């Protein structure tokens, strides 16, 4: 068991240390969603309506910045040394994702401190469920970033793909408008968008009114999405003929 958990814990710790040495990332990740939230919220006179979406956007930005390190590790040769080590590749994947997800989770909790501005009150018991939902969302978005970054050789190309994929996913997730008010093919996209269920799960834990989809449905889909992405990451890392690891 040590041969599995020790490499994962080591990589998890490495991600936290790397972040501590780059504190400017914290400002960039939180400031952008905060400004977007305040502009949209005050402009529409509904800060509470867009709070969950802005929090998820914070987590998303953190996941993007963290998974860029996969490309950097490939350039520096660290990724190759990881893959040729005797440690199970699944443990390396888990450690990498957990480290990045932990960072996204911490930054999501920091953004949560602005909840009183949105008129959202969170009790001590409710904080546990909110923190759990934020971590699950962080894990899924980090897993998605890992899948995309694994085959990428350029940080510019990675940013382009992530912006092309994640920003539209966020826009049709219920962050800007609810599923109930969507029309036509946009509404269909919202129902098949995994991020819709993540936003809904967070809204349920924050006790927002008129939340769709339901709480259990949102939890199951978000959890299944995260587990599926973890499995996909492990399969990618286990491929022997991965030129991207060179």
């Amino acid at each position: 068991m040590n041969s599995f958990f020790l490499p994962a814990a080591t990589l998890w710790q490495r991600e936290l240390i790397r972040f501590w040495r780059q504190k400017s990332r914290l400002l960039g990740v939180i400031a952008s969603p905060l400004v977007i939230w305040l502009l949209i919220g005050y402009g529409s006179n509904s800060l509470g309506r867009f709070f969950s979406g802005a929090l998820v956007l914070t987590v998303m930005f953190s996941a993007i910045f963290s998974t860029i390190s996969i490309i950097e590790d490939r350039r520096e040769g660290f990724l190759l040394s990881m893959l040729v080590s005797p440690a199970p590749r699944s443990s390396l994947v888990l450690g990498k994702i957990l480290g990045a997800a932990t960072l996204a989770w911490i930054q999501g909790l920091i953004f949560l401190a602005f909840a009183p501005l949105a008129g959202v009150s969170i009790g001590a018991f409710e904080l546990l469920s909110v923190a759990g939902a934020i971590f699950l969302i962080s894990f899924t978005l980090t897993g998605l970033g890992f899948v995309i970054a694994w085959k990428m050789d350029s940080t510019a190309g990675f940013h382009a793909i992530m912006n092309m994929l994640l920003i539209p996913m966020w826009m049709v997730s219920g962050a800007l408008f609810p599923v109930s008010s969507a029309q036509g093919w946009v509404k269909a996209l919202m129902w098949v968008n995994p991020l819709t269920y993540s936003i809904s799960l967070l809204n349920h834990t924050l006790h927002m009114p008129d939340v769709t989809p339901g709480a259990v449905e949102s939890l199951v889909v978000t959890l299944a999405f995260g587990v599926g992405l973890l499995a996909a990451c492990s399969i990618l890392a286990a491929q022997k003929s991965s030129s991207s690891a060179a």
Side-chain angles (χ1 to χ4, degrees):
M1 295 296 288
N2 284 339
S3 63
F4 181 86
F5 288 108
L6 184 57
T10 301
L11 282 178
W12 173 81
Q13 183 183 37
R14 179 177 181 266
E15 290 298 312
L16 298 185
I17 293 175
R18 171 182 282 185
F19 175 78
W20 181 251
R21 293 173 178 173
Q22 301 172 346
K23 299 181 184 67
S24 58
R25 283 171 51 186
L26 179 63
L27 177 62
V29 165
I30 294 180
S32 295
L34 180 61
V35 170
I36 293 173
W37 173 54
L38 292 175
L39 288 175
I40 296 177
Y42 278 118
S44 61
N45 196 29
S46 181
L47 280 173
R49 168 70 187 84
F50 302 102
F51 180 73
S52 295
L55 198 157
V56 170
L57 190 62
T58 300
V59 172
M60 181 188 299
F61 282 174
S62 179
I64 292 174
F65 281 119
S66 296
T67 48
I68 285 177
S69 65
I70 296 174
I71 302 174
E72 295 172 348
D73 288 341
R74 180 182 299 114
R75 289 175 179 172
E76 298 167 0
F78 181 77
L79 184 60
L80 180 59
S81 64
M82 284 170 47
L83 296 180
V84 298
S85 71
R89 293 190 178 186
S90 56
S91 71
L92 302 178
V93 169
L94 181 62
K96 192 75 174 176
I97 293 179
L98 278 179
T102 300
L103 293 175
W105 176 66
I106 291 172
Q107 291 168 85
L109 292 180
I110 294 174
F111 193 91
L112 193 63
F114 295 99
L117 285 178
V120 178
S121 59
I122 305 172
F125 180 75
E126 295 169 337
L127 183 60
L128 294 176
S129 60
V130 174
I134 294 173
F135 183 80
L136 182 56
I137 296 169
S138 302
F139 189 88
T140 58
L141 289 174
T142 302
L144 182 58
F146 187 104
V147 168
I148 297 173
W150 186 260
K151 294 293 186 180
M152 301 294 296
D153 296 316
S154 164
T155 55
F158 175 75
H159 271 295
I161 295 297
M162 293 297 276
N163 287 335
M164 183 177 66
L165 176 65
L166 285 183
I167 297 302
M169 279 183 66
W170 178 78
M171 293 177 66
V172 293
S173 66
L176 297 180
F177 49 87
V179 177
S180 57
S181 66
Q183 301 294 324
W185 59 271
V186 173
K187 188 169 188 175
L189 278 179
M190 294 182 75
W191 279 108
V192 299
N193 180 9
L195 205 55
T196 299
Y197 300 87
S198 298
I199 294 283
S200 174
L201 177 63
L202 187 57
N203 280 329
H204 279 293
T205 60
L206 292 172
H207 300 291
M208 295 294 187
D210 303 323
V211 182
T212 304
V216 175
E217 183 181 359
S218 299
L219 176 61
V220 170
V221 172
T222 305
L223 185 60
F225 188 47
V227 172
L229 285 170
L230 178 61
C233 293
S234 299
I235 292 172
L236 284 174
Q239 292 177 353
K240 299 293 184 181
S241 59
S242 177
S243 59
S244 63

